[in-house]
């Protein structure tokens, strides 16, 4: 079986999350509190260190008050 983990995609997702969060002027701590996700996990997602779950992505989109598809609106390398 091929390795399905794509580090470039995971990093690009994290970069996009960070950009969207900054545009909303929300700190990592505020996002963590409003999404009930540990701040350390938010940091790991933004740095592309973890391949996060779709459930976590859903909660983050709700906390940021954005459509979930915005989190995936970035160029894929």
């Amino acid at each position: 079986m091929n390795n399905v983990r794509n580090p470039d995609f995971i990093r690009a997702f994290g970069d996009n999350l960070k950009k969207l969060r900054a545009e909303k002027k929300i700190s990592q701590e505020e996002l963590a509190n409003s999404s009930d996700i540990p701040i350390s996990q938010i940091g790991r997602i933004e740095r592309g260190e973890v391949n996060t779950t779709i459930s976590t992505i859903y909660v983050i989109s709700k906390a940021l008050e954005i459509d979930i598809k915005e989190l995936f609106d970035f160029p894929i390398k």
Side-chain angles (χ1 to χ4, degrees):
M1 177 184 225
N2 291 333
N3 187 357
V4 295
R5 184 179 168 94
N6 183 327
D8 292 332
F9 182 82
I10 295 168
R11 203 168 308 112
F13 178 86
D15 289 343
N16 192 48
L17 170 57
K18 184 176 183 177
K19 177 185 75 82
L20 292 169
R21 179 182 57 74
E23 287 173 357
K24 295 271 188 173
K25 296 181 173 45
I26 297 174
S27 68
Q28 283 186 346
E29 183 176 15
E30 290 169 321
L31 179 56
N33 290 336
S34 62
S35 62
D36 198 29
I37 298 170
I39 189 171
S40 59
Q41 184 70 356
I42 298 294
R44 285 190 294 269
I45 294 168
E46 288 188 357
R47 290 188 302 274
E49 295 175 355
V50 295
N51 189 5
T52 194
T53 68
I54 58 172
S55 296
T56 298
I57 293 168
Y58 174 79
V59 171
I60 288 171
S61 74
K62 294 302 172 198
L64 290 174
E65 299 178 344
I66 61 174
D67 194 297
I68 197 167
K69 66 184 175 185
E70 290 182 62
L71 289 166
F72 293 96
D73 187 17
F74 57 88
I76 301 172
K77 298 176 184 178

